[in-house]
Amino acid sequence: MNDQTPSDLALMKFGVGQPVPRKEDPMLVRGEGRYTDDVSLAGQAYAAFLRSPYAHGRIKGIEAEAARGMPGVLAVYTGADLEAAGLGSMQAVFEFKNRDGTPMAKPPHPALPTDRVRYVGQPVAFVVAETLPQARDAAEAVALDIEELPAVIDPEEAAAPGAPILHDELPSNVVLDYQFGDAAKVDAAFAAAAHVTRLKLSNNRVVVSPLEPRAAVAEYDPQGERHTIHLGSQGAFGMRGAIASHILGVAKEKVRVLTPNVGGSFGMKAPVYPEYVGLLHAAKTLGRPVKWTDQRSESFVSDHHGRGHALEAALALDKDGNFLGVRVTGYGDLGAYLSQVMPLPSSVNVAKNLPGVYRTPAIDVSIRCVFTNTTPIGAYRGAGRPEGNYIMERLIEAAAAETGIDRIELRRRNHIPAAAMPYKAASDNTYDSGEFTPLLERAIAAADWAGFAARKAESRARGRLRGIGIGQYLEVTAPPMNEMGGIRFEADGTVTIITGTLDYGQGHATPFAQVLSDRLGIPFERIRLLQGDSDELIAGGGTGGSKSIMASGAAIAQASREVVDKGRAVAAHMLEAGVADIEFAGGRFLIAGTDRGIGLMEMAERLRGGEKLPEGVPKTLDVRTVFESAPSAYPNGCHVAEVEVDPETGEVAVVRYAMVNDFGTVINPLLVEGQLHGGVVQGIGQALMERTVYDSAGQLVTGSYMDYQLPRAADAPFFSFESRPVPATTNPLGAKGCGEAGCAGSLPAVMNALADALREVGVKHIDMPATPQAVWAALRAAESARA
């Protein structure tokens, strides 16, 4: 006989640690999702943007009279119109200091330029018309008079004396000369080293390419003097703040941001874009809603790109293979303007993540962050975290090959031991937890490392080269900002979680509901999630930096405690007992030592029904609280990839892939595994195929999917996935975050496997992206060298 209550069964099936399918999937699979382009408002007009055909040029004139006279055209706007309206500039949010202590300059980034264009695809003007075809036709009729100027595309060339200067506010294109670490200590380490490994590494610029292009619909209420904008974002609260403070110069209450379903972002949809500024202005001046949806060809040049570093790295080792110090120098490409979080991924995050899981006594990171006449670069899945890990793991594999020390043993010797926790790394981070050697051992076993020799021989019999590579990583997550924890008991018997993170594909509704169900015993199927309405939020750090479950999960846990505190006071009245005698467990309030009690959901129903309560007893169980920032966490793992190379064509295939990860407390293993699958495939794409290419004039050569290759299902192997968690001590749930870890592990694992495959035929180095052409050329060069 089963004597468990329905609440107990719900917790078994839907509590923390259970592989619960995503709540929203049935709706999305049926095509019932509501994305920004699905938003249509009564009386809306349509916008189309005119973009610069030049990478660099002086604006001498914009002739729009012909366009204004075309059928259906309501208005044509230029930078002068937005400037006259007093609209502000898009802004980078972080403050940095150069190595000499001077503050980093922040050149203005207007929505539409009035002086110069600085990259191909920069919006210069826009048309609003009754229909979208009319707007697009009229945009083509706007004539630009631009005096073309010399452009600079490569960041190293842009940093050189005599390069064309993009922003007159700066003496050069170097906006940040970043340095972190102890350079003198690293100098001493290299002087004392028995061996130094050196590599030149490219972290190739990529197009973000989410499934859903950007879109927005703006409207204005003249009575309330209030702007509302519907758009895809990574956090409605933060987006509202940026629009109100930086762009409109109004109180935050005068702006409402509504974000429906979002079809991917990976960092790209977090900031304010020029198009949003234009739509807000047009909706106000025209007195009607205005809608814009990006075309994919525009997305390639107007959406922020990702990555983009050219670095030199060196690792110093003593005679026993112990790491003495690591140095990284080079350039970070910013594109033409500072986007919202730049240059954080090119500087601080590289340094923070460089040491990884290894005892590295000294580091020195010197990166010059440079403007170029290209599309601005922004955050992209990991935003410096995969870059830092990639550098260290490539160095370790190369060092093992050069010194003859087994690559597994070299890692073991330099691991931070679990007994050393908490451990202060040379990156100034203090790791709270982790068991890095056992995790490596488990990954090696899961990958059947011992059976690799036989698989290699089988590949050789078919004329293929085969390699195996390790990517052992540790990420420093973003510290959660203040996050809202809202719990609202609805009239229909459901319960709404309100939080300021935002789901753009992660599946927040399910793990957040699991946390709430676990804490309060609320039936899983009755829980809803509200994230995308800034009017409902009192705080919100948005989603990014692998922090959502640590921020919102902790906020939900804190709000749950407040619900219990309120409920105990209510239960004391309803059960005629003292508050101190009321206990809460399994979704019920009980008088201690008795079976007299009342369920939480029943209590909420009675309160909604107007239960008479004495003064001082809460009238509702609803809670609106703010969880204050928790420290960063340190997710880590070990990925092992195997690749096969066709030496005749240079084609590379990832044929096996195993990963073991430590994400602390895993709320939903099914969703975590899905996050890792996606991140690994993105890493495979960057490692083997994705690359933006500009010609010398600044034209994007890879401007469509005919020229830019994304990974497909056939490019991904079946994955072996395991968790080996060590709970974090930095947040109430013990979670560590997982959203960006797939890239951090896969970039080095795949490239180290490829380097291993090519090393036996004399190829000493290979860079990303290792396209068939690049691999074929490396093979032919090695062949010629042998001959």
Side-chain angles (χ1 to χ4, degrees):
M1 180 176 177
N2 191 340
D3 60 355
Q4 293 169 309
T5 68
S7 178
D8 292 331
L9 294 173
L11 290 177
M12 287 175 58
K13 187 176 181 183
F14 297 118
V16 168
Q18 300 300 313
V20 184
R22 302 193 330 167
K23 279 172 160 283
E24 67 271 34
D25 282 352
M27 174 194 71
L28 296 176
V29 170
R30 291 194 300 265
E32 296 171 1
R34 187 170 184 263
Y35 296 86
T36 304
D37 189 53
D38 295 319
V39 176
S40 289
L41 306 178
Q44 72 185 15
Y46 297 83
F49 284 80
L50 177 66
R51 302 184 183 277
S52 172
Y54 302 109
H56 199 192
R58 185 172 290 108
I59 299 172
K60 301 180 70 176
I62 301 175
E63 178 51 60
E65 287 309 308
R68 290 189 177 97
M70 292 179 68
V73 172
L74 301 172
V76 180
Y77 299 97
T78 67
D81 298 311
L82 302 188
E83 187 176 72
L87 296 178
S89 176
M90 293 167 290
Q91 295 187 17
V93 296
F94 295 113
E95 303 292 337
F96 290 88
K97 289 187 182 297
N98 292 289
R99 69 169 63 235
D100 63 4
T102 58
M104 180 186 76
K106 293 184 179 181
H109 184 185
L112 301 178
T114 57
D115 57 348
R116 277 189 283 168
V117 293
R118 293 175 172 86
Y119 64 96
V120 170
Q122 181 173 9
V124 180
F126 69 101
V127 175
V128 180
E130 295 287 356
T131 70
L132 183 56
Q134 289 172 336
R136 288 177 177 167
D137 287 346
E140 291 183 3
V142 177
L144 299 179
D145 184 3
I146 295 178
E147 176 190 352
E148 192 170 4
L149 298 172
V152 60
I153 309 306
D154 179 83
E156 186 171 358
E157 293 176 6
I165 303 297
L166 271 72
H167 298 277
D168 293 337
E169 297 85 354
L170 299 175
S172 76
N173 292 316
V174 179
V175 68
L176 177 65
D177 185 9
Y178 175 80
Q179 194 278 331
F180 175 86
D182 190 332
K185 189 174 181 180
V186 171
D187 285 341
F190 276 71
H195 181 83
V196 175
T197 291
R198 303 181 190 276
L199 290 177
K200 283 189 175 182
L201 295 169
S202 170
N203 208 290
N204 38 314
R205 177 195 281 241
V206 296
V207 171
V208 177
S209 192
L211 279 172
E212 178 204 22
R214 286 190 299 115
V217 187
E219 54 184 320
Y220 182 73
D221 172 20
Q223 281 73 38
E225 298 181 329
R226 194 164 193 248
H227 294 266
T228 298
I229 186 164
H230 309 251
L231 51 75
S233 75
Q234 291 188 195
F237 189 82
M239 180 66 76
R240 181 191 71 168
I243 289 173
S245 301
H246 301 159
I247 304 301
L248 300 176
V250 299
K252 293 178 182 178
E253 293 72 26
K254 294 295 183 180
V255 177
R256 185 183 189 187
V257 172
L258 292 167
T259 294
N261 293 120
V262 181
S265 174
F266 309 113
M268 184 271 290
K269 291 177 183 170
V272 178
Y273 277 86
E275 295 87 357
Y276 309 158
V277 180
L279 295 177
L280 289 161
H281 177 68
K284 181 178 180 179
T285 57
L286 294 175
R288 59 193 292 186
V290 182
K291 181 175 184 176
W292 165 79
T293 300
D294 213 354
Q295 300 181 85
R296 188 64 73 175
S297 58
E298 290 182 281
S299 296
F300 269 80
V301 293
S302 66
D303 293 351
H304 293 166
H305 292 169
R307 312 291 189 226
H309 309 110
L311 304 173
E312 295 186 19
L315 176 64
L317 305 91
D318 70 12
K319 62 182 178 60
D320 297 318
N322 297 305
F323 299 166
L324 302 176
V326 63
R327 170 168 282 144
V328 176
T329 61
Y331 300 89
D333 191 353
L334 300 177
Y337 293 93
L338 282 172
S339 64
Q340 183 187 42
V341 299
M342 298 303 281
L344 182 75
S346 306
S347 55
V348 171
N349 279 358
V350 171
K352 277 187 174 184
N353 291 271
L354 179 64
V357 299
Y358 306 105
R359 287 179 285 103
T360 310
I363 66 174
D364 178 19
V365 178
S366 298
I367 299 176
R368 304 177 83 191
C369 301
V370 185
F371 287 128
T372 60
N373 290 114
T374 60
T375 298
I377 287 181
Y380 175 71
R381 199 167 193 165
R385 298 171 184 88
E387 290 90 323
N389 283 279
Y390 179 73
I391 294 165
M392 181 60 86
E393 287 297 299
R394 289 297 305 269
L395 283 170
I396 291 171
E397 290 276 314
E402 292 169 3
T403 62
I405 302 173
D406 178 80
R407 46 192 157 159
I408 298 173
E409 176 58 26
L410 186 58
R411 287 178 168 86
R412 282 196 200 101
R413 290 184 193 179
N414 289 282
H415 277 156
I416 301 162
M421 300 297 172
Y423 180 82
K424 179 69 176 291
S427 58
D428 279 350
N429 292 292
T430 299
Y431 304 166
D432 67 295
S433 60
E435 297 176 355
F436 307 135
T437 301
L439 190 145
L440 169 67
E441 301 289 357
R442 181 61 214 138
I444 294 305
D448 185 24
W449 189 276
F452 172 70
R455 295 191 294 274
K456 185 180 180 72
E458 189 275 333
S459 294
R460 184 181 291 117
R462 292 185 287 105
R464 299 291 193 268
L465 304 173
R466 193 177 187 112
I468 189 168
I470 296 171
Q472 187 162 13
Y473 70 91
L474 177 143
E475 291 188 299
V476 184
T477 67
M481 302 175 227
N482 289 352
E483 191 55 73
M484 178 178 178
I487 299 175
R488 189 167 67 204
F489 292 81
E490 308 287 5
D492 63 358
T494 61
V495 178
T496 299
I497 297 171
I498 308 169
T499 186
T501 54
L502 203 139
D503 177 357
Y504 47 89
Q506 293 90 340
H508 286 174
T510 301
F512 290 0
Q514 288 177 262
V515 172
L516 186 62
S517 183
D518 189 80
R519 295 299 172 112
L520 294 182
I522 297 171
F524 177 85
E525 65 277 3
R526 291 203 197 179
I527 301 172
R528 305 289 179 263
L529 177 64
L530 193 161
Q531 292 182 292
D533 184 350
S534 63
D535 276 5
E536 296 278 1
L537 302 174
I538 57 175
T543 294
S546 296
K547 69 180 187 299
S548 292
I549 196 62
M550 295 181 292
S552 287
I556 292 165
Q558 179 171 297
S560 297
R561 289 193 296 272
E562 294 188 20
V563 169
V564 170
D565 288 342
K566 295 176 83 171
R568 290 176 70 237
V570 175
H573 166 73
M574 291 181 172
L575 300 175
E576 299 179 335
V579 173
D581 295 324
I582 301 297
E583 297 177 343
F584 179 79
R588 290 180 59 80
F589 293 95
L590 296 165
I591 299 175
T594 77
D595 60 358
R596 288 188 58 215
I598 182 171
L600 177 67
M601 299 302 287
E602 180 188 349
M603 177 186 290
E605 185 177 358
R606 286 176 60 176
L607 290 174
R608 286 194 302 272
E611 179 91 7
K612 292 184 178 180
L613 300 169
E615 191 69 28
V617 176
K619 306 298 189 292
T620 175
L621 297 176
D622 294 355
V623 165
R624 287 161 61 88
T625 188
V626 175
F627 173 74
E628 296 186 358
S629 296
S632 296
Y634 302 94
N636 62 91
C638 185
H639 293 202
V640 181
E642 288 185 37
V643 303
E644 269 196 347
V645 181
D646 183 341
E648 298 302 317
T649 66
E651 185 176 2
V652 180
V654 181
V655 292
R656 286 172 67 98
Y657 201 99
M659 51 184 142
V660 180
N661 302 279
D662 170 13
F663 298 130
T665 301
V666 175
I667 307 301
N668 187 316
L670 182 66
L671 270 65
V672 168
E673 185 171 355
Q675 285 286 298
L676 267 291
H677 285 188
V680 168
V681 172
Q682 279 186 276
I684 291 171
Q686 185 184 352
L688 301 181
M689 57 196 74
E690 295 188 53
R691 177 181 58 161
T692 59
V693 179
Y694 285 90
D695 67 15
S696 60
Q699 296 292 332
L700 181 63
V701 177
T702 51
S704 75
Y705 293 130
M706 296 294 289
D707 314 295
Y708 186 91
Q709 185 180 359
L710 287 176
R712 302 187 181 196
D715 298 308
F718 286 98
F719 299 108
S720 168
F721 175 89
E722 292 184 26
S723 287
R724 192 185 184 283
V726 179
T729 63
T730 56
N731 63 82
L733 297 181
K736 293 184 177 178
C738 69
E740 296 160 314
C743 285
S746 61
L747 287 178
V750 171
M751 290 305 295
N752 282 338
L754 178 57
D756 180 55
L758 298 180
R759 194 173 288 118
E760 67 171 291
V761 293
V763 177
K764 295 182 179 179
H765 181 66
I766 189 76
D767 232 331
M768 298 190 296
T771 62
Q773 181 185 24
V775 174
W776 184 89
L779 288 167
R780 299 292 81 79
E783 192 177 81
S784 297
R786 290 197 306 273

